[in-house]
Amino acid sequence: MGKNFKKVIALTLSLLLITGCQSQTQTSSNSIYNEGTYTASATGYHGDVTVEVKVSSDKIEEVNVVEHSETEGVGTTAIEKLPDLIVEKQSLAIDVVSGATLTSNAILSAVEDALGQAGADIEALKVATESEAKEEVELSADVVVVGAGGAGLSAALSAAENDATVIVLEKAGTLGGTTITSGAFYSTGDPELAKRAEMNDTMRAQVEELVNLEPNCDSMAKWQETVKQQYADYVASGSTAMFDSEEYYMLCVYVDGGMVGDVDLIEWTCANADEGYYWLEDNGYVWSDRVVVGKNGDNAVIEPDIERCRRLVGDEEYGRPATQMIDVLEQRAIEVGPDTKIYTEVQATELISDNGKVVGVKAQGKDGTPYTIMANKGVVLATGGFASGVEVREKYNTIYPYLGEQVHSTNVVSDTGDGINMAEAVGAQLVDMEKIQVNKINHYDLGGTTMIAAAFSNILVNEDGVRFVNEYDTETEVAKAILSQPDHKGFLLADANNCNVTDGKTSGGEDVEQAIADGYIFRADTIEELAQQIGVDAQTLKNTIDTYNESVRTGVDEEFGRTTFTKQDLIVEAPFYATPVIPGVHHTMGGVKINENAEVLDTEGNPIEGLYAAGEVVGGLSGNNRMSGDAITANVVQGRVAGQQAANS
């Protein structure tokens, strides 16, 4: 991510002060370092990571991260671990924390800079000592959970509540998986919880539309009939609170997923969503009284009740909701059970099968240590999806022209499809693997949306300076159009009126001046100058914008049929901005097929004894599109069932 400009100024001043006052006395000819305290910075995931390193003549005494903007629970894990390891090993030959690579590299780079200031032999400090062969570690527990995200820790807690001993394996160096990077939105169909929000005309129209759709299966017809009666009773009651029910939630999930989801999985997941909500609350998770209705639109503005999206959120007074959720699940899993152990940086590589029954897991530690972990009762797969697994998504992708390495993922780097591959190897049935959800707009070089200097519905042009899509088309269609362009790249344009720059920052909090200096955002006072900066023909770009502006003024888009325009969409007032963009994989709807007991099914539809699954590793819930809030619900509901069933098998 781009550097924070104010931090750079502050750091420059602090370096000047330190240079003027720190002790750098060479104590002897055999000294390794010039004694003193040194400060340096390097770019992490969300900005500068600044370290302070104290050395004596022959030793690194302290390493402290004194300033950062890294994600709580992800980057902060590297901040907690690496400084102590550097001091302990007196070395820069330290492995990065899995799942927090950018933060880890920033810490190591900044410490290297600081030690260079101290006169250290940097190359010597980077030499790793040869590691000895590791002996195999043999472990056992009643339930072995693979993955320590929201689904895995829900399964661990549920198994512990059912008096099972539990071992959790997590290949990353941090707990939480993609859950901890999320907003922790949780969906239910509970009418009592729905009373926290008011009904509006958009919601009413949506209920009426869904109940009158032509059903494509018996389950859909059944849900519609139930909802019709519920809604009639609701209208007759005169209530002004938001209408909701479990059956309406089921109907919304099914329709939003293109009416191709697994109706049985949808039914039992949605029917148990409220129980999951109260289960989290009973275990110490603190909910707010707020319901978020709608989804995040351009510039994170909540659009009213689009795709249903009625999400409950945690109380931020108790910490960032996602971090609070993971902390609660972890702590309670350890507290309530007879014996729960969590191993990080230990990657499961193979399921152990005995006469068709899954009885354990083979794994390997980051340091090369082999593990054999036997499960007395069952194994729960909760490894997430494959949004960050380039090979897997390329293998199954049939929708998009390209999902290779250049396409970023909004998920954690550990979501590479490991659990799906292990399950398939023991005969598991996979469903919906081609159904991959993308966000149409991510920064081309960096991924994510914090470095975007425009509304996501602004005009898009390619590297020829030509418009190529209706920017208001579906997420999938816009993504396909961008990925069909040369280098799979588009430029999102903006002017002074429709950029998302406020007080020198993007809506994602990035410093625009620094982003421009780093080449991540382009800005110019004329279209011709902007064209030169992004490498397109100036006259072509000017003609494209003129034609687009005419469509905005008349409301008629003869090229691409866009019908949604406002005066603010015009590109007329300097300064003009361009951001290079590419879609990013956001969620993978495919995975293993499970039944209502969270048992993984084989290719004949029969349960694989001893094997359970929960969360994004499971396929079928969301059809061809995941509705916001459903992933966390699935983690909790399915994880709770998987842990309980495994413990009692």
Side-chain angles (χ1 to χ4, degrees):
M1 292 297 168
K3 297 178 181 177
N4 185 297
F5 190 58
K6 292 183 179 177
K7 286 185 182 177
V8 173
I9 295 174
L11 175 58
T12 303
L13 293 173
S14 64
L15 284 172
L16 290 171
L17 291 170
I18 290 168
T19 303
C21 65
Q22 70 186 4
S23 170
Q24 298 184 25
T25 306
Q26 190 87 17
T27 56
S28 75
S29 59
N30 295 323
S31 294
I32 301 174
Y33 309 106
N34 297 321
E35 290 185 17
T37 300
Y38 301 84
T39 302
S41 295
T43 303
Y45 189 75
H46 282 302
D48 280 351
V49 176
T50 302
V51 302
E52 190 176 82
V53 180
K54 180 180 180 181
V55 296
S56 60
S57 62
D58 61 354
K59 185 179 180 181
I60 303 171
E61 298 287 349
E62 293 180 25
V63 175
N64 296 299
V65 175
V66 295
E67 188 175 6
H68 72 88
S69 303
E70 303 302 272
T71 303
E72 184 180 347
V74 183
T76 53
T77 302
I79 289 167
E80 292 164 2
K81 291 183 175 182
L82 283 188
D84 290 342
L85 282 173
I86 293 169
V87 174
E88 176 189 335
K89 296 180 179 295
Q90 294 291 302
S91 172
L92 289 172
I94 306 293
D95 288 336
V96 300
V97 174
S98 300
T101 303
L102 291 176
T103 306
S104 299
N105 286 334
I107 294 169
L108 290 170
S109 295
V111 173
E112 178 183 331
D113 186 343
L115 292 175
Q117 296 175 43
D121 184 341
I122 298 299
E123 293 308 313
L125 287 169
K126 287 184 174 181
V127 175
T129 58
E130 292 187 12
S131 58
E132 299 178 358
K134 307 293 183 180
E135 292 187 9
E136 183 177 24
V137 175
E138 296 182 352
L139 304 168
S140 67
D142 293 332
V143 177
V144 177
V145 180
V146 185
L153 292 176
S154 292
L157 171 54
S158 181
E161 288 179 329
N162 284 272
D163 298 320
T165 58
V166 182
I167 288 175
V168 182
L169 305 178
E170 171 55 58
K171 76 174 182 180
T174 61
L175 302 184
T178 295
T179 297
I180 207 166
T181 68
S182 74
F185 292 133
Y186 188 99
S187 290
T188 76
D190 190 318
E192 287 302 311
L193 295 172
K195 290 178 180 178
R196 298 175 181 177
E198 291 291 308
M199 197 67 170
N200 60 38
D201 290 341
T202 304
M203 298 178 193
R204 293 185 185 92
Q206 188 176 57
V207 176
E208 293 164 6
E209 177 186 355
L210 292 187
V211 297
N212 288 309
L213 285 174
E214 183 69 29
N216 72 344
C217 66
D218 291 342
S219 292
M220 181 177 174
K222 180 186 68 174
W223 297 333
Q224 286 175 306
E225 286 305 309
T226 301
V227 174
K228 282 181 183 178
Q229 185 58 56
Q230 291 169 340
Y231 189 61
D233 293 342
Y234 162 82
V235 172
S237 74
S239 174
T240 59
M242 183 170 69
F243 168 79
D244 214 346
S245 72
E246 290 180 353
E247 291 78 12
Y248 183 53
Y249 184 22
M250 297 167 195
L251 183 60
C252 288
V253 172
Y254 186 63
V255 172
D256 196 69
M259 298 191 291
V260 295
D262 181 335
V263 292
D264 293 329
L265 181 60
I266 290 170
E267 184 151 328
W268 77 261
T269 301
C270 294
N272 288 285
D274 56 346
E275 291 185 16
Y277 172 94
Y278 292 113
W279 179 68
L280 282 174
E281 185 173 66
D282 290 343
N283 277 289
Y285 186 72
V286 183
W287 296 98
S288 77
D289 291 330
R290 187 165 62 97
V291 177
V292 177
V293 180
K295 70 172 184 176
N296 287 340
D298 294 343
N299 302 328
V301 174
I302 298 295
E303 298 176 351
D305 205 42
I306 295 175
E307 297 180 2
R308 185 181 189 274
C309 295
R310 300 159 184 202
R311 290 89 50 92
L312 300 132
V313 293
D315 191 331
E316 294 186 359
E317 289 186 12
Y318 292 82
R320 184 170 166 267
T323 307
Q324 182 198 166
M325 185 174 291
I326 294 302
D327 287 347
V328 165
L329 292 170
E330 175 198 6
Q331 291 162 13
R332 290 293 292 161
I334 293 170
E335 290 170 0
V336 306
D339 186 17
T340 299
K341 292 184 173 66
I342 300 174
Y343 294 81
T344 58
E345 297 189 313
V346 176
Q347 180 175 355
T349 57
E350 180 184 351
L351 295 172
I352 303 171
S353 185
D354 182 14
N355 292 322
K357 178 181 179 180
V358 173
V359 295
V361 176
K362 290 281 189 182
Q364 184 171 17
K366 187 176 180 180
D367 62 357
T369 301
Y371 288 79
T372 297
I373 306 102
M374 302 306 295
N376 302 324
K377 296 187 174 182
V379 172
V380 179
L381 290 176
T383 51
F386 55 94
S388 297
V390 176
E391 289 185 8
V392 183
R393 68 195 194 198
E394 284 275 75
K395 175 182 177 180
Y396 290 103
N397 169 42
T398 60
I399 298 173
Y400 305 96
Y402 172 78
L403 284 182
E405 290 185 2
Q406 183 57 48
V407 177
H408 303 279
S409 167
T410 61
N411 291 13
V412 292
V413 295
S414 55
D415 279 359
T416 54
D418 300 357
I420 293 170
N421 293 334
M422 287 188 288
E424 186 179 27
V426 296
Q429 181 181 165
L430 305 185
V431 296
D432 295 344
M433 291 296 290
E434 77 285 359
K435 295 179 173 66
I436 299 170
Q437 184 181 46
V438 302
N439 287 342
K440 63 182 180 181
I441 299 297
N442 281 256
H443 194 281
Y444 188 83
D445 299 305
L446 303 172
T449 59
T450 63
M451 196 67 81
I452 308 295
F456 297 168
S457 58
N458 277 21
I459 179 175
L460 277 163
V461 301
N462 61 18
E463 290 183 302
D464 294 324
V466 175
R467 186 167 169 244
F468 56 88
V469 70
N470 170 0
E471 296 85 359
Y472 255 90
D473 209 335
T474 65
E475 201 95 3
T476 298
E477 291 305 314
V478 174
K480 286 163 65 175
I482 296 173
L483 291 169
S484 298
Q485 300 310 306
D487 296 322
H488 321 294
K489 180 189 285 188
F491 287 99
L492 193 61
L493 307 184
D495 76 349
N497 296 315
N498 54 37
C499 66
N500 66 356
V501 177
T502 304
D503 296 328
K505 293 184 181 298
T506 68
S507 62
E510 300 293 343
D511 186 275
V512 171
E513 298 301 327
Q514 190 61 49
I516 291 170
D518 291 339
Y520 296 138
I521 292 173
F522 301 93
R523 182 181 64 197
D525 289 329
T526 66
I527 297 298
E528 290 79 5
E529 183 185 351
L530 188 69
Q532 183 179 17
Q533 289 183 22
I534 64 176
V536 307
D537 179 73
Q539 189 59 51
T540 299
L541 184 61
K542 187 175 185 306
N543 291 343
T544 296
I545 292 174
D546 287 345
T547 301
Y548 169 80
N549 283 340
E550 184 62 20
S551 296
V552 175
R553 293 185 180 100
T554 63
V556 177
D557 178 13
E558 294 182 355
E559 289 184 291
F560 301 102
R562 175 170 165 175
T563 58
T564 304
F565 290 109
T566 69
K567 288 183 179 180
Q568 194 171 350
D569 292 319
L570 291 167
I571 306 293
V572 292
E573 184 176 338
F576 302 100
Y577 295 86
T579 306
V581 297
I582 189 171
V585 179
H586 185 54
H587 191 85
T588 51
M589 280 74 74
V592 300
K593 186 174 179 63
I594 63 172
N595 62 17
E596 69 277 3
N597 294 319
E599 296 171 296
V600 176
L601 305 182
D602 65 18
T603 53
E604 301 299 320
N606 302 310
I608 298 174
E609 189 177 358
L611 187 59
Y612 304 83
E616 198 175 342
V617 73
V618 172
L621 178 68
S622 298
N624 62 19
N625 182 66
R626 180 188 63 83
M627 195 166 65
S628 180
D630 293 346
I632 301 298
T633 303
N635 286 345
V636 174
V637 172
Q638 296 170 9
R640 187 181 178 210
V641 172
Q644 180 184 47
Q645 292 294 324
N648 291 305
S649 63

